[in-house]
Amino acid sequence: MKIQAERRDVRHLYIRVRRDRTVLVTIPRAMPDAVWQQFVESRRAWIEASLAKIPPPAQYAYTDGEVHWLLGRRVTLRVQKGGENRCRIDGDTAVMTVRSAHSDRAALLGACWAQELSAVLSDLIVQWAPRMAVHPAGFTIRRMKSRWGSCQTRTGALTFALDLAVKPVACIESVVVHELNHLIEPSHSPRFHALMTHWLPDWKERKRRLEAFPREFS
Ligand SMILES: [Zn+2]
């Protein structure tokens, strides 16, 4: 078990199990080592159970014919030589053109997946923001280690994890609703969860599916 400990200006100790299988322990500055170490030890069973639930990352070689996940469906990668590096989706095929053997195929695929995710996120936000009477200030997509999204309640800026691009749209939708819901209720309070159930009665099931789905980008 890889434990990463950091001291910060927090009131309580907390443990976060990240999708890359590292365990992040955030410790109040004044807490003695023996105290937090004992606490982590007491939560070992929970940490191990959480680690066991994380699907291993898929290993990809980005070769012709390789099958990837995109928005919950299977997409076959077709790689061809061409004058420029690019990648686009055509039905259930990702058509990748590479200039040379040195072209960064992983980066090309990541950029293409980000574009597909961006279109889905835009649609979902356009659909949900008016229904929830919130006013988000746009979104960005980036690689995130332990979360699926974040929301700056002061500015309304949203961030989403690139890895959502491989997940079914129903799962992405639950993350969008979660982040928009923070514009109504900033903390994960009972009110927050009651609102989630109001917007999406099956949000817990969607979250379970999201966590269990194969992962490609971290
Ligand atoms: Zn949240």
Side-chain angles (χ1 to χ4, degrees), residues 147 149-151 175 178-179 181-182 185-188 192-193:
R147 300 174 204 221
S150 68
C151 174
V175 177
H178 178 110
E179 299 311 333
N181 203 28
H182 275 308
E185 171 59 49
S187 72
H188 294 141
F192 182 93
H193 293 120

Side-chain angles (χ1 to χ4, degrees), residues 96-122:
M96 184 182 285
T97 310
V98 292
R99 261 206 314 252
S100 77
H102 302 296
S103 299
D104 188 343
R105 296 180 181 196
L108 279 173
L109 190 133
C112 178
W113 262 232
Q115 210 164 29
E116 296 291 311
L117 174 61
S118 179
V120 169
L121 289 170
S122 297

Side-chain angles (χ1 to χ4, degrees), residues 18-74:
R18 290 162 153 174
R19 289 199 296 278
D20 64 358
R21 311 185 98 75
T22 55
V23 179
L24 178 67
V25 182
T26 306
I27 310 153
R29 291 202 191 276
M31 185 179 277
D33 281 343
V35 175
W36 73 260
Q37 282 162 358
Q38 197 183 6
F39 183 79
V40 169
E41 202 47 49
S42 74
R43 299 301 304 273
R44 184 170 279 271
W46 172 82
I47 294 169
E48 273 164 9
S50 303
L51 284 169
K53 270 190 259 168
I54 301 172
Q59 296 294 325
Y60 291 113
Y62 305 97
T63 46
D64 187 74
E66 190 174 66
V67 180
H68 289 251
W69 288 103
L70 172 64
L71 304 175
R73 66 179 206 269
R74 304 298 265 155

